[in-house]
Amino acid sequence: MNYQELIGKQAQFFNSNQTKDLAFRIKHLKQLKAIIKSREGQIYQAISADFKKSEFDTYTTELMILYAEIDEAIKHLVHWSRNKKLDSNLASFPASSFIQPEPLGVCLIIGAWNYPFLLSLGPVVAAIAAGNTVILKPSEIAANCADELEKIVNTNFLADYFMVVKGGVTETTALLSEKFNKIFFTGSVATGKIIYAAAAKHLTPVTLELGGKSPAIVMADADLKLTAKRLVWAKFLNAGQTCIAPDYIVVEEKVKKELLTYIKEWIQEFKYGFENNNYVQIINEKNFHRLTSLIDTGNIYFGGETDLVNRYIAPTILSDVNFEDKVMEDELFGPVLPVISFTDLNVLITKLKSLPKPLSCYAFTKSTAIKNKILTEFSFGGGTINDALLHISNLSLPFGGVGNSGIGSYHGEAGFKTFSHYKSIVKKPFWLDNVLRYSPNTKSKLKWIKRIIGS
Ligand code: NAD
């Protein structure tokens, strides 16, 4: 089946109105969860084959969140899809006003490789909950996971409703030339611009979940030992290949040495390694070479060991880094952590504001005033105070970027909204008709209108 034919069939299926039925949506969400559960073993094998990710990490960073996302949608779907009554105005009196969510239609979801199941199926859950049909294009880079996703979906769902299409740039480019009712993309800023441009040709709405350099700001008043522990965990989870990983640390100069010492101790304590099921490979040689060449440009404080055969890069700390250094140009997306020191928070915030808006920011401080200052003055997608990554796990919080780090958001109800259009409706009865609007337009009618409106 070519792409045009597939989209046509999905549009036809969508127009049959079957996906608008809430029982239909809930049935398929439950089915999706049951299939994933029944194939957990194959999922662990696929992800381990792609980059040696362990069962523990796959469950805690992908499946656990995915199951929660499905359960949340099933639990709240009736409430989310209800019409919401809103105030009516005098001009339409008597009337009732409401917004009615409706699915958008045929959706294209393009996934990234770094959390290949969560980042592909998470948006799918939202799209199905909202009543759409879905074509899912997983990342070709985690090839075994893409194969597994194809099995999970294409052997269990009707292609007219939900189908996986595998492929890389060529296939995605061909898909993007077609008209969809919604495109949801997770990936890099550079590809995000390509997606946005392609969608613009058809005026297709997009959600872009992109990346960026997310800073961790460490103030001198923070609990430095615990700060270091939390930052080490957040940075080296998935070997730093996490969109919201702290990309770099900016720490007050007077506590920099102490923080670095704790960071080193925690890395040693956690004993990162494939054999300990707490570390993963760099996804491919291209990224391995990109990261090792960056390490070579910096001042290694700790780590730095690499092994091309196993695509292994040890947790690596670069100290004495400046904003002008090569490691500070692009998102690192790997286990390399530059540490920059600062003395004046105002100067730091001015510098951060001159850079593209990041997906996340982490501030470590006991001071409410400093926390408020950072939250008020610095724009970023979302974050966690005195910890890292945790905001992504709370499905009550919309997840997404701002500026260069993305457009739109999802998770929980935010995902439902992302895949819905809200029709605004005014409903009038027949028992009363306001004659003031009809011709002839007399002076006395205008006087009455002004008196009623009050301005
Ligand atoms: P990527 O942009 O290379 O690829 C993402 C998807 O786009 C893949 O499915 C790929 O096949 C497709 N693609 C790549 N080049 C394309 C092109 N020229 N035309 C059309 N399609 C193309 O990103 P990646 O390497 O898979 O992921 C890493 C990036 O994603 C990082 O920047 C990271 O921060 C970001 N990311 C963001 C989130 C988020 O939720 N905001 C989550 C994970 C990753």
Side-chain angles (χ1 to χ4, degrees):
M1 197 171 1
N2 67 35
Y3 298 150
Q4 204 174 21
E5 207 180 318
L6 173 62
I7 294 162
K9 278 180 175 282
Q10 289 213 350
Q12 212 177 350
F13 189 77
F14 179 76
N15 286 328
S16 74
N17 293 322
Q18 292 177 65
T19 65
K20 293 186 179 164
D21 178 33
L22 294 191
F24 177 93
R25 303 184 203 178
I26 289 171
K27 181 182 130 191
H28 285 91
L29 289 171
K30 285 184 176 166
Q31 187 188 348
L32 180 62
K33 185 175 173 186
I35 299 162
I36 299 167
K37 272 216 165 289
S38 73
R39 291 193 67 88
E40 271 192 9
Q42 288 90 335
I43 287 172
Y44 295 137
Q45 271 171 19
I47 203 158
S48 173
D50 278 332
F51 56 122
K52 280 200 182 3
K53 187 160 169 170
S54 69
E55 186 174 327
F56 183 92
D57 279 356
T58 304
Y59 183 80
T60 54
T61 66
E62 299 220 48
L63 299 188
M64 188 175 85
I65 305 172
L66 189 55
Y67 292 148
E69 189 81 65
I70 296 175
D71 292 344
E72 176 96 347
I74 291 170
K75 186 171 165 199
H76 297 291
L77 191 55
V78 172
H79 174 67
W80 292 346
S81 39
R82 255 187 214 137
N83 292 352
K84 303 217 171 23
K85 206 169 171 320
L86 297 168
D87 287 347
S88 291
N89 61 350
L90 264 182
S92 54
F93 180 84
S96 59
S97 300
F98 60 92
I99 48 171
Q100 175 169 325
E102 66 172 13
L104 295 167
V106 181
C107 301
L108 173 64
I109 295 174
I110 303 173
W113 58 263
N114 56 330
Y115 290 87
F117 293 97
L118 180 64
L119 298 180
S120 299
L121 294 175
V124 167
V125 170
I128 287 180
N132 300 280
T133 71
V134 180
I135 295 173
L136 169 63
K137 208 299 289 177
S139 171
E140 74 285 13
I141 291 179
N144 290 288
C145 294
D147 287 346
E148 179 54 29
L149 280 164
E150 186 183 42
K151 279 182 204 138
I152 288 173
V153 177
N154 294 3
T155 51
N156 292 292
F157 291 88
L158 201 63
D160 297 14
Y161 175 43
F162 176 20
M163 185 169 174
V164 164
V165 170
K166 287 195 306 180
V169 175
T170 311
E171 292 78 5
T172 317
T173 307
L175 271 170
L176 287 170
S177 67
E178 303 294 336
K179 182 172 168 58
F180 290 89
N181 301 108
K182 168 86 189 181
I183 299 176
F184 186 105
F185 169 79
T186 304
S188 62
V189 174
T191 313
K193 289 178 183 172
I194 295 171
I195 307 291
Y196 204 9
K201 289 202 178 118
H202 298 290
L203 276 184
T204 300
V206 293
T207 298
L208 302 177
E209 294 284 343
L210 311 178
K213 285 184 90 62
S214 301
I217 305 169
V218 181
M219 304 302 297
D221 70 344
D223 177 331
L224 293 177
K225 192 169 181 188
L226 192 52
T227 295
K229 189 180 192 181
R230 291 174 175 174
L231 281 174
V232 166
W233 166 75
K235 177 70 184 187
F236 300 110
L237 184 76
N238 224 36
Q241 300 167 117
T242 303
C243 56
I244 52 167
D247 187 90
Y248 61 98
I249 293 176
V250 269
V251 55
E252 271 196 281
E253 174 63 37
K254 57 187 167 195
V255 294
K256 178 184 158 191
K257 256 180 105 172
E258 198 181 339
L259 183 76
L260 280 168
T261 306
Y262 284 134
I263 288 176
K264 184 167 95 179
E265 284 172 10
W266 284 120
I267 294 173
Q268 288 167 328
E269 169 83 17
F270 292 153
K271 297 185 175 49
Y272 285 104
F274 306 141
E275 65 288 359
N276 294 331
N277 291 327
N278 62 0
Y279 210 53
V280 303
Q281 292 179 301
I282 303 306
I283 187 69
N284 56 21
E285 290 196 1
K286 186 176 156 207
N287 276 292
F288 178 90
H289 293 305
R290 176 181 64 78
L291 287 161
T292 50
S293 71
L294 283 170
I295 292 175
D296 290 342
T297 66
N299 179 13
I300 299 174
Y301 170 79
F302 185 74
E305 301 83 11
T306 65
D307 167 7
L308 174 59
V309 176
N310 288 305
R311 299 199 313 273
Y312 168 82
I313 297 180
T316 298
I317 309 298
L318 303 179
S319 61
D320 304 321
V321 177
N322 293 309
F323 278 103
E324 291 67 38
D325 291 349
K326 184 122 186 69
V327 280
M328 293 305 296
E329 278 174 14
D330 293 312
E331 180 183 2
L332 287 162
F333 219 57
V336 180
L337 182 57
V339 179
I340 298 177
S341 60
F342 74 95
T343 48
D344 182 333
L345 185 60
N346 284 316
V347 175
L348 174 68
I349 291 178
T350 304
K351 177 68 199 173
L352 294 178
K353 284 169 76 169
S354 73
L355 304 171
K357 294 180 181 183
L359 187 56
S360 299
C361 172
Y362 305 108
F364 292 81
T365 177
K366 289 183 186 140
S367 158
T368 305
I370 290 174
K371 176 211 65 172
N372 288 344
K373 182 179 174 67
I374 292 169
L375 291 185
T376 310
E377 296 183 16
F378 181 40
S379 177
F380 54 90
T384 307
I385 305 293
N386 296 329
D387 210 323
L389 310 188
L390 298 180
H391 61 293
I392 202 173
S393 68
N394 180 353
L395 299 179
S396 304
L397 294 172
F399 176 78
V402 58
N404 261 43
S405 54
I407 297 174
S409 62
Y410 73 128
H411 287 185
E413 189 174 10
F416 178 89
K417 287 180 177 168
T418 284
F419 283 97
S420 299
H421 163 66
Y422 284 79
K423 273 179 182 149
S424 290
I425 306 295
V426 171
K427 180 171 170 282
K428 294 276 297 173
F430 288 114
W431 57 265
L432 184 70
D433 197 30
N434 179 355
V435 293
L436 293 176
R437 61 178 150 160
Y438 300 119
S439 283
N441 298 342
T442 62
K443 278 192 173 161
S444 96
K445 276 186 180 174
L446 188 58
K447 217 168 90 186
W448 269 108
I449 288 170
K450 286 183 176 174
R451 190 174 288 174
I452 291 166
I453 298 299
S455 60

